[in-house]
Structure formats: C-alpha cells, structure tokens
Amino acid sequence: MSAPLIEMRGITKSFGAVKANEAVDLSVAPGEILGLLGENGAGKTTLMNVLFGAYAPDAGDILVEGRPVAIHNSADALAAGIGMVHQHFHLAPRLTVLENLLIGIPGKSGRIDRARGLARLTEISRQYGLSLDPNLPVSALSVGEQQRLEIIKALFRGAKLLILDEPTAVLAPSEVDGLFAALRSMAAQGLGIIFISHKLNEVRALTHRCVVLRHGKVAGRVDHPASTTSAEMAKLMCGHEIVPPVREASTPGASVLTLDGISTSGHAGTPLRDVSLFVRAGEILGIAGVSGNGQRALADVISGMLQPRAGTMTIAGKTVTQFSPRELQALGLGRIPEDRMTTGLVTNLPLADSMVLPRIGTEAFSRKGLLNPTAIRAFAEAQIKAYDIRCPGPMVRAGALSGGNLQKALLARELAFDPKVLIVSQPTRGLDIGAARFIHEKFLAMRARGCGIIVIGEDLEELLMLSDRIAVMYEGRIAGTLPSADATVARLGLMMTGAGHTEEAA
Amino acid sequence: MSAVFEQIFQVGFLAAIIRIATPLAFATLGEMFSERAGVLNLGIEGIMLLCAMAGFTAASLSGSLWLGVLVAVLVGALMGALHALFTVALGLSQHVCGIGVTLFSSGLAYFLYRLIFGQQSVPPSIDGFKPVPIPLLSDIPILGPAVFNQFTLVYLAIIAVPLAAFVLYRTPWGLSVRMVGENPRAADSAGVSVIATRFQAVILGGALMGLAGAFLTMAQFNAFTFGVVSGRGWVAIALVVFGRWDPWRSAGAALLFAFVDALQLRMQASGLGHIPYETFLMLPFIFTIVAMAFMSRNAVAPSALLKPFRREER
C-alpha cells in the first residue's frame, strides 16, 4: 500500500478529567475507505474534530502525506486537504447550491466568480457522479441532496481526505446505495475516506479497513471488514457480546387503536390521505417509509396534536377523533416524538420538570394548582435509577444529556404510566447499539404486557426485528401492510418507493 | 375627495414622495445590511437622531454641508461599531443592547445640542442643500421635475439601492454577509470570519443610518429639533420586514410608506378640516401595521437573526 495520506500518531485529548482520546494511532492511504467504529461517547467525533482543527490535541502528531502539519482551525484543515461532512449540515438553507459552494472563495475583480464556480461544480459532478442543480435554494433539497452538497463542498475546496460523520443516519435506504456508489468512485480515484458509523452492516459493506474505538482508545483493528462478522465487531465496540432480543410469539388481543379513513390538511409536511390502520393489544405495528411521506402527520393525529379533516380514530372502541393530547393521554396513550430536543423535552428546564411535563397538572405532581416539587423530584430520581439514565441528577438541564440518555428519559416518562397505546417515532435514531438494545427490550416488554405499540421508523432491520406487522407509508397513504414474517428489506424497500402494491393482510 | 386625487398626479406630490422616501430608504438599507448579517439594530432611532444632530452641528459650525454629511456618516459608523461590540463581540442580547444604544444616542444628542447651542427660543437653522436639476433628465414632463430636480442626497439614495443589491448579491463580501446571517457555522467552517463580517455589516448599516439622519437636518428641515426623527427609525425596522430583507423590495416599501405619508399631508391641507389633523398623521402608521400584518406572514427572516455566534466549545 502507498504512503499514507493522513496519519495520526498518539493523539490524546482530555476534557477536564475525561480522556476523550488516548494514544490513538490511525492512518488512511489514498484510495482507502477507513471505517471508524465505536459507541456514542467512544471518542470518534472528538478524534475527527482534532483532525479537522476544532480541538487542539494534548499530545500527538498529525502527518499529511508524510509531513507533520499543525491544524488550528477548519481553514488549516481545508488547506491541508481535509474535508469534513458533519452530522448537522453546515449549509445556509435560503442560499442557492452555488452560493453555498462559493462562500469564502475569493471573487474575481470584486465580484463573485460564478462562471468558474459552475465549471468546477460540473467537473466534480462528472468526475464522481454527484449532480445538483446549482441554482436551487438549499431549502428545496432533500436531506440526501444536502449531504451530497456537503460532499461536493469539501471536494470543491480540494479535499483529498473526506471525513463523513455518521452520514447514513439521515438517509433512506435507497439514498444510502447512492452515497456508497459515490464514495467508492471517489476512493477509486485516489481520495481517502474516513467513514464514521455504528451500523455494522454498512461498515462491512463499504470499508476496506476499520479502527474500533472504545472509551477513547483503539479497542481493535479489523483488516478485512467484509469477512468479519457483525457480532465480532460489536464485541470490539462494546467489550462484550451483544445478543439481539427475541420477539416471542404471542397472540394479540383486541384492537386498542383504530384509524379509519383519516385525511388531514393544513399541516407542514405531507398530509394523510385516507389512512386506515389498527394496532392490537400486545402487538407492535411498524410504520416503514422514507421520511416525509406523512409519518409526521400520522404521529400528530394519533397524539391529538393535529385534528384530521376526515375519518375517525378510536381507542379501545371509544371515538377520540377530536380529543386533545391531554385527553388522549388520560386514556392511556403515550408518545415518544421524533425530535427529542424540540417536541420531546424542554432543553432549558431541569430534567425532572421535563419528565413530568405531560402530566404536570395531575394529582401525582400537583396539588390544588400548585406544583409538588418533592413528588416531581422523587419521580425523576426513581426513573433515573430504573432506566440507568446517566446524568448528574434530576435537576440538571435536560439539554445537557446525551441522545441515548434523553431517549431513555422520554421512554421512562411514558412507560411509568403504563400506556395502553404507545406511538414512537425513530426510537433509536443516533443511538449506539447498547442504548438501542435497551430501548428494544423495553418495547418488547411492553408488548408482552399487552400494550399496543406503533413504531415509525426508517431502519428496516429494526422494524423487522420488532414488529408483528409492518405498514408502509407512501405519499400520505398506507401503500400496504405485511405480516413481518412475509416482509423482507427488499420487499419493503420496493413498497417505500411506491412501486409495489400489496393488499391489506391482517 | 376628488380634490385629493387630483393632487396625487401633481409634480409637487411626486417630489414630496421622493423626498420623504429618501431618509427612509437610507435607514431601511442600513437596517437591512445589519439584519442580513444576523444583527437586529434597534439602536437605529437613536443613531439617526445623534447623526442628525452631529451632521447639523458640524455643518453649522464649519459652514460646509458635505463636512456635515461626512461627520454624520462617521458617527453612524461609530455607533454601529458600538452596537456590534456589544452584540457581536460580546454576544449580548440584541434587543437590550439596541434599546440601550437608542437611549444612549438620543440622550447624547440632546445633551450635546444643548451644550453647543444652549436654549434658544427659535432653533438655529442652516442654509441646507438645494435641489440640483440634472440636465436633460429634469426636462422630462412630470417625472423630470419630481425625480431629477432634487437634492444630491436623493440621487445618492437612488444609486444606493442598486448598489446595495449588487454588493449583497454579486460580491463575495455580500455572500459572506448573507451566509453569516443564515448559518454562521457554515461560514465559519468555510474560513469566513463571522465576527469580522458581522462587524462590517453593522458598521455599514450605521453609516447608512447616519446618511438618513443627515438628510433630515441638512436637506429636509435645515434645523435640528428633538423630534426630528420622530419614529422614522422604528418605521425602517418594519420596512425591512415589509421588504423581506431585500434592497429593491425595501426601497419599494419606503416609497409606499412615503406615498401614504405624502397623501396624509395633502389631506391635512385640503379642506377636510372638520377631521382632527391627528387622524391623518396616524395614517402612515396604521398603513404600516396593516401591511405588516399581511406581509409578515410570508416573511422569512435570516435564520441566524438575533443569534450570537460562538465557536463550538465543549
């Protein structure tokens, strides 16, 4: 193999007493795709931020093509040929594709050099098969296209090494294939790529080599990811064996939630069109679909945040179509929203307050219109213990918690009241294997206790593992429902694009 | 009422619209640059007043009107820098600091004016700018005398609009301004200094507010009174929203407001005497409120407006 494009030697970085990275060695050769694996908090992002100049390492060297370089900020990193595609895109939504590319690029005689920018964009598009309309505003692009723009942006600035921080977390399965094709083409043309992920199947499919981090240290290196099993890699990541939970066979009871011919309008996003579905006691119904096909409206209707234009909704036989979120909750409906930070919790309030918010006016937490801080605190403390939520205490600002711990807090909040129906969106997005496994086990335990659960998700393997039946949403409609025994990733993927039509099979 | 409408198409009426629109256009463009970079400048009302005073004083003491304009522009830029120091460098609340800048600037204007001119029964005045007819163009019927027989500052305002659009949309600096107002992190990761760009935009905005103030005391009224700005700064903030943060639309908004203002002046004077004149005075502001109610529904402010930028820290 040729001389490494980038080499990191003995990188150590501490935040206070916490060693986020300890003596990490890593190198990428031209044309190589390196997988960087690890659970949340293992130090992947810190390591890449050191490489991209956001943090200065306490010790260690970075070499670019054999020469030591000092990288103090993103401008230095770009100059050294390092480009990074962050998890949260650095784009201005109201500016056009071309303008987002040209930012920070000197113009020609005081004017923006559009012609040269366009020529360079065309060249990159042709070279790597990444095309975008230069005059569209970024807000008109899909998430996948925005990510493509971020990749183009890095290449536009002459990146020889591309860092992608969990790029597939935001993509639909079909978009992932496109991304992988582009990345392979870039590698084939001599670029180096660092691919950060905790999805083992993707790492195995894409990368040439892997470095696994655990607690800030290199826990292992995998030279042939394709011929290594996911179980072996998961063991490296977690330090112990991971056993997937088993969904035991069961006989579902009566329907606990039924939607009949629900249509909506006046909602941001795709409205629902004549949606009928039901979930029975002790059953998990998966809702698959590329995000933006009405899942948001579905979750909002079920939780009472959106009143449907037509159709009826019943919970345990009782018509609840016009009920408010609070009334639905009183009937035993729990919701874990898609966006933990905005709809889920109040990030600036103490965790304890966020955890009782949906039931703040009930007997349990207030008396005669006054809050009962002792009860609120006691509740939060009990849940923190029961769910192993890692935080300094119930009075910590909710926004300070990591994603996995926030999700546990939300889960604890809903499950503590033993819901009869639970609707969850993207329950494990951004969570690592350990945290995801914990959430899955809780769902299955709820199922065993007779709760009807609707799981809206994009991760088909997760849905297949959890669900008894899977309904596919496409353009605001239910494109079809399959018992999960009959469903495969390929079949669902086809239905998600609106191609396949399957009759309702209960 | 027909008498009122006859007057609309008179030269004097059109000229009045242009004249009223000029300080509003400067102020609106100034506020727009600042907000486009993500900084709301509520100091505008006070900055205009201070600049009106400073320009008037400089012109009055030196006898040079253009020196007065220069002083007004420099004072405006300085106050812009002050606002940027608080809101950009220190990352303090833009609302609070803006109100603070307005109170400080207004107080300073009153104080210095009294200190320099004392208490006089008739406010001192200067020999202000005179209309400069543009050869040939001013001979066009109706439009000529209305638009091309105006103060030089009016022509400057007319040039300022396309110039502002060019700078904002066609230059790398303008792109940086829009980027730091939309997503400062994106600008930062592209190697653009968010702090410097915001400082520059707020200072440029302050300078334009200075021009607006200078026009009031050196072309429109030729004297300084404490009520000389009388809410024009606040109106400019509304006009920026009305103009959707775009130079052309903002200038259009200023013209529309000026039209209603000129109309109410005529109505006051046109024998509708049984209606108290305050009713007419309200019209432009009622118009602004109604227009805002409709327009602001679709208005999309720069995403990072009001948000201070700090590099990510752990």
Side-chain angles (χ1 to χ4, degrees), chain A residues 371-390:
Chain A
L371 290 179
N372 181 350
T374 326
I376 292 173
R377 226 187 138 122
F379 172 79
E381 269 165 2
Q383 301 308 326
I384 287 169
K385 215 166 169 185
Y387 283 80
D388 188 25
I389 300 167
R390 311 264 168 90

Side-chain angles (χ1 to χ4, degrees), chain A residues 15 18 20 46 52 55 73-75 78 86 89-95 99-100 102-107 110-112 114 153 157, chain B residues 36 166 168-172 175-179 182-183 185-192 244-245 300-303 311-314:
Chain A
F15 296 102
V18 183
T46 303
F52 198 60
Y55 302 140
N73 51 44
S74 50
L78 291 169
H86 293 87
F89 301 144
H90 290 180
L91 298 170
R94 282 211 292 161
L95 306 191
E99 285 174 332
N100 270 282
L102 288 172
I103 179 70
I105 305 238
R111 299 179 62 158
I112 296 171
R114 283 179 58 91
K153 209 166 97 179
R157 276 145 220 276
Chain B
R36 255 323 200 9
F166 177 81
L168 196 60
Y169 295 123
R170 296 266 175 257
T171 67
L175 179 58
S176 301
V177 168
R178 287 183 287 144
M179 186 67 93
E182 285 293 328
N183 187 346
R185 196 135 285 140
D188 187 50
S189 72
V192 170
R244 296 187 192 176
W245 291 269
V300 184
S303 312
R311 277 255 172 81
E312 222 158 347
E313 284 161 1
R314 186 154 159 176

